[in-house]
Amino acid sequence: MKSIQLTIPTTGSRLGASRTAANSRKRTKPRYSVVSMFSGIGGLDLGLEGGFEFRGSKYKSQPFEVIAAYEKDEKCVATVRHNLEIPMIERALSPDDVSSLPSADVLIGGFPCQDFSSCGPKRGLSSERGNLYRVMVNYMREHQPLIVCAENVPHLARMHGGQVLETIKKDFAEAGYKVQVWDLYAPDYGVPQNRRRLFFICTHEDLIGEPEKPKAAFANNHRSTKWAIEDLRHNGHASIPNQDQFFKASKAKRGNGQGDETCRADEPSYTIRANAKSRVQFHYAEKRRLTVRECARLQTFPDSFLFPHSPTTSIMQIGNAVPPVLAHAVGSSIARFLGKIHEQ
């Protein structure tokens, strides 16, 4: 078992023996190493590390450092390398190859959600892709991180009467972890978009306590679509990156399929989906669909985060991402927990 150079109080079993030497050292403000799986374009990574601005608010740097991030999609890898200073590795992960990955204090990952989504094939755990969460489980068994944060769609909790959720929780727990499931509604945390996500927060069983679910600071004051993107109406396309990219498709002549909705100005937007063209909502005031930059704003990516690909690719990447502002709230809670146990 690895020896982590932190003063961590434990219940005295699996982690305690390996950290006896560390406990005698002078306490310093720690930083926590992070391995990121299924990283996409790094929304979870950016939010966890912090140190970015969004719509005039600063999201402070947090005591995390991504030491390795893994993503199989070469275009996502290119987007991350264009924007973030993290070691990004193009690699398809499997449950059998975790021993070659570096050990870290924290493991994060948005394991593939397509087979759990209400808009997807709903194959759940019956597909190879639906079982990729086991990569994280095997990493937990092998490397014993302090905390694991795994993200997915809320429909997962409803599949097969809740059996899929219970299976995943059981597998995480049997790796040696206490498991919480946080059902977070993104507008409650400052994201101007009607989006809900599950976060599996797994705490090593030898640690005392668990992170607390972040407080819903915006529960009674949701940020609106207009708040997020109104200023873009009055800027020339050349002055804001990706603001000139949008689909010119009109509304469907029949029916009201997903993506034909018009965003309400004074409410959070509809969910930005990982689908291009017909799945992109219409602007509340302009006679067009939302631009790539507007979608990125509604997902809380800073304007400095650039999307170097086509609108089709960029919208898919944005829709699949974890909103950095939401990830920052989750990361803050984990950082507070680790800070408290370090100080004890």
Side-chain angles (χ1 to χ4, degrees), residues 15 86 121 165 199 204 223 225 288 294 298 322:
L15 292 186
I86 62 175
L165 177 67
F199 288 83
H204 197 284
R223 289 168 165 171
T225 304
R288 58 168 174 78
E294 287 164 348
L298 295 169
V322 178

Side-chain angles (χ1 to χ4, degrees), residues 112-233:
C113 67
Q114 291 88 345
D115 289 327
F116 305 114
S117 173
S118 60
C119 299
K122 303 183 181 71
R123 289 177 295 187
L125 301 180
S126 66
S127 71
E128 179 179 355
R129 183 170 56 183
N131 277 277
L132 283 175
Y133 78 93
R134 297 183 190 276
V135 180
M136 304 186 77
V137 173
N138 286 358
Y139 182 97
M140 294 158 73
R141 294 183 187 277
E142 175 82 16
H143 296 282
Q144 299 286 292
L146 301 173
I147 298 287
V148 176
C149 172
E151 178 266 354
N152 214 273
V153 294
H155 188 259
L156 179 152
R158 299 189 291 273
M159 297 189 74
H160 302 292
Q163 291 181 12
V164 170
L165 177 67
E166 292 306 314
T167 296
I168 294 174
K169 287 173 60 179
K170 179 174 178 288
D171 287 345
F172 283 148
E174 289 182 348
Y177 288 80
K178 298 171 283 188
V179 182
Q180 302 178 72
V181 180
W182 294 347
D183 184 347
L184 302 185
Y185 183 51
D188 288 348
Y189 298 91
V191 178
Q193 180 192 164
N194 185 13
R195 191 179 192 92
R196 187 178 294 277
R197 286 296 182 268
L198 297 183
F199 288 83
F200 295 82
I201 306 298
C202 308
T203 306
H204 197 284
E205 63 186 5
D206 288 348
L207 297 183
I208 299 171
E210 297 175 85
E212 295 182 0
K213 183 177 178 179
K215 294 181 179 179
F218 291 84
N220 298 314
N221 186 28
H222 290 165
R223 289 168 165 171
S224 69
T225 304
K226 188 174 183 178
W227 173 88
I229 67 173
E230 173 69 12
D231 66 298
L232 296 175
R233 294 180 61 195

Side-chain angles (χ1 to χ4, degrees), residues 3-5 19 43 49 65 75 78 80 85 106 123 144 147 153 162 172 215 227 236 248 260 265 298 301 319 331 333:
S3 176
I4 298 176
Q5 304 304 310
R19 293 174 183 167
E49 286 194 344
E65 181 180 356
K75 290 185 177 180
V80 170
E85 295 181 359
V106 178
R123 289 177 295 187
Q144 299 286 292
I147 298 287
V153 294
F172 283 148
K215 294 181 179 179
W227 173 88
K248 297 178 174 61
D260 277 334
L298 295 169
F301 280 92
S333 178

